[in-house]
Amino acid sequence: MVIFDKMGKSQKASNDSHRIATSGDIEVSTYLEIAKGLGGEQPVSPKETVPSGEREAIVVIDFGSQYSMLIARRVRECQVYCELVPYDTPWEKIAPLNPKGFILSGGPASVHERGAPLAPAYIYESQLPILGICYGIQVLAQQLGGQVMPGTKHEYGHAVLHLSDVDSPLFADLPPSSPVWMSHADRIEEMPPGFTALAHTENSPIAVMGSDERIFGLQFHPEVAHTPEGKTILKNFIYGICGCTGNWTVGNFIDESITRIKEQVGKGKVICALSGGVDSAVVAVLVHRAVGDQLTCIFVDHGLLRREEVERTFNVFRLNLGMNIIYVDASKRFLKRLKRVIDPEVKRKVIGEEFIKVFEEEARKIGRVDFLAQGTLYPDVIESASSGSKASAKIKTHHNVGGLPARMTLNLLEPLRYLFKDEVRQVGLSLGLPEEMVWRQPFPGPGLAIRIIGEVTKAKLEILRGTDWIVMNEIKKAKLYRQLWQSFAVLTDVKSVGVMGDYRTYGYLVAIRAVTSEDAMTADWARLPYDLLARISNRIVNEVPGVNRVVYDITSKPPSTIEWE
Ligand code: XMP
């Protein structure tokens, strides 16, 4: 896991930290990760199966751009299945996807560097359409016999694209000029044989090049929001040039997943740990649709959830969806284990270990179990595939249920492993999960325990629940809930003097934290309106006994983290 120090440089996070830097709620995985210390039998990873049906895919060859994943998301927004693969992926792994075209991503390298990554030969041999983006266009130029000159000046930011060949199929429905987002240093001096310049900008005479209406290169980024016509260009490539039909829809995904889960599970039994978060919820509903009562969900209540969260989750799954749920109120056990624990990492470890113990005890009562369903998402899969052994090692720990007994050797069922978070949400909505659950802000696995500075006690949990309830309520009333990555309260261990009526008070200091973020790796504090902050503060000091002061956290990440512990 890479985090940032105060200077903004990346550094390796300490190994024993269980802060999670990927997006979304991955509570259960975190427990499982922590539990790896307990030893035991490893679960069996599923065979790499890709969504089937009438297969068609666009494959993005990844050269490491920060936007690579965005390209894949943009393609999928056009309803075409897309995978991101490292540039050295062998053809045997690509062939089953039935690719209709390739996109070469941008990347930080220069084709002039020794050992600079290049595209695999099969993309040229396949005769399929290719679109090179940024570093990708330079790779095309270099490999196909053109000339790339090392750049003396970095061109970064807005530029205006002027089309020279308005009839190119890549430009269908495009105006003659439109803004684009540039970010490159090297430039193409000479195009490879057979290529012509299709568009230019002020600084780049070859902003777009093409050959045979099959191979194209863009010197700008079509995938970012700063290139407003970018999606049209991608769509023209995917449909007009690659001939895709667009069968990647939520409905198709659900149908195919259900068929696949049925095949995979047969008459087996499946367990799934529910957390109240969207990933585990969607997994549970999908698996339930496929195999009904062969699925049992285990909902471990560690007593560290928000007010009414337990009831809401339980009602949705048991009452509305009629699923098999084992609900375990383990709050006393957890509180006992958390006694006198102050160190945040020890809190996480203790909670993770206890969670696995309870989960295991309950799972044992079910008897033979064959599968463990988990909400692994595509970004985790990409990370594990692309960034070397360090990343793979980290990702494997998500899958590690080392705390489970040997006789429970489980196969993993990961029906969301090819979905991005926004796709998971669409699937959740389509499966009938309530909006409230589908759009829930991420909530850490150790729950309120890491939002109480110092020892966790029942009394402090009550105070924090009351405070958190007001924050949530006001943020939702202000219609800001979805715009914020997270918004919550922290109970500090500071007490200060106040005055209420004629009385002196000595109460807790509560901090409000609200951040905007794309992926939790970096975050900015939200500029909440003053009157909203005033309402939150007034209500907290008036409605929550024991709190007499409220502060707003105005630090971003880095150098702070989102959570206080
Ligand atoms: P930080 O505090 O590291 O948080 O900026 C980044 C994201 O991760 C969440 N988080 C956790 N999630 N178990 C989890 O499941 C944890 O121990 C944990 N710690 C932090 C945090 O809420 C934010 O979304």
Side-chain angles (χ1 to χ4, degrees), residues 203-446:
N203 291 321
S204 297
I206 307 169
V208 181
M209 66 175 193
S211 161
D212 258 357
E213 301 200 342
R214 187 175 67 82
I215 306 184
F216 297 91
L218 310 176
Q219 190 57 83
F220 57 88
H221 287 279
E223 69 277 20
V224 302
H226 300 299
T227 304
E229 297 294 341
K231 201 161 170 192
T232 311
I233 297 176
L234 287 174
K235 215 171 184 171
N236 289 337
F237 176 71
I238 298 162
Y239 285 95
I241 291 157
C242 300
C244 290
T245 57
N247 58 10
W248 178 247
T249 61
V250 170
N252 284 351
F253 170 82
I254 293 175
D255 293 346
E256 283 176 23
S257 298
I258 289 175
T259 311
R260 220 172 29 252
I261 294 167
K262 275 186 181 153
E263 277 168 20
Q264 216 176 329
V265 171
K267 292 199 174 346
K269 275 194 174 175
V270 189
I271 50 169
C272 174
L274 270 188
S275 68
V278 58
D279 303 340
S280 62
V282 173
V283 166
V285 179
L286 205 53
V287 175
H288 183 246
R289 283 266 178 104
V291 298
D293 281 351
Q294 285 163 260
L295 167 73
T296 305
C297 294
I298 300 176
F299 183 16
V300 178
D301 177 5
H302 52 20
L304 306 166
L305 293 172
R306 292 171 150 163
R307 186 183 283 177
E308 290 189 8
E309 189 122 39
V310 172
E311 294 84 342
R312 252 179 291 147
T313 308
F314 194 69
N315 285 347
V316 168
F317 289 96
R318 167 71 68 81
L319 302 181
N320 300 357
L321 299 169
M323 287 166 56
N324 256 337
I325 298 197
I326 299 177
Y327 166 74
V328 202
D329 177 0
S331 47
K332 284 204 179 100
R333 282 174 70 161
F334 279 85
L335 262 187
K336 205 163 153 202
R337 291 269 334 252
L338 284 167
K339 231 183 179 134
R340 285 186 290 279
V341 177
I342 287 169
D343 183 279
E345 289 309 307
V346 179
K347 280 185 189 172
R348 285 182 168 86
K349 193 161 171 287
V350 162
I351 294 166
E353 283 176 9
E354 199 60 25
F355 179 91
I356 290 298
K357 264 194 210 156
V358 179
F359 188 76
E360 177 198 329
E361 281 168 23
E362 295 305 321
R364 197 178 279 148
K365 290 181 196 158
I366 303 172
R368 202 199 84 229
V369 177
D370 310 279
F371 295 89
L372 174 73
Q374 274 205 167
T376 312
L377 302 193
Y378 192 49
D380 299 334
V381 177
I382 294 175
E383 191 185 345
S384 121
S386 65
S387 358
S389 55
K390 278 266 156 54
S392 319
K394 178 194 154 218
I395 221 66
K396 279 205 193 95
T397 59
H398 284 313
H399 300 171
N400 193 323
V401 283
L404 300 178
R407 66 182 181 82
M408 272 180 61
T409 305
L410 296 168
N411 293 293
L412 286 181
L413 205 56
E414 298 178 312
L416 310 183
R417 65 184 277 116
Y418 291 97
L419 295 195
F420 287 113
K421 188 81 180 186
D422 44 348
E423 294 173 319
V424 173
R425 292 208 163 100
Q426 288 170 29
V427 170
L429 287 173
S430 188
L431 287 170
L433 281 172
E435 289 219 358
E436 196 189 53
M437 186 169 271
V438 168
W439 287 103
R440 198 183 80 143
Q441 291 174 352
F443 185 69

Side-chain angles (χ1 to χ4, degrees), residues 18-20 26-27 30 348 442-446 450-451 485-486 520 557 561-563:
H18 295 289
R19 282 171 181 279
I20 298 302
I26 28 185
E27 296 94 307
T30 315
R348 285 182 168 86
F443 185 69
I450 55 164
R451 292 179 180 170
W485 174 265
Q486 277 169 295
K557 172 183 178 176
T561 49
I562 296 176
E563 304 290 345

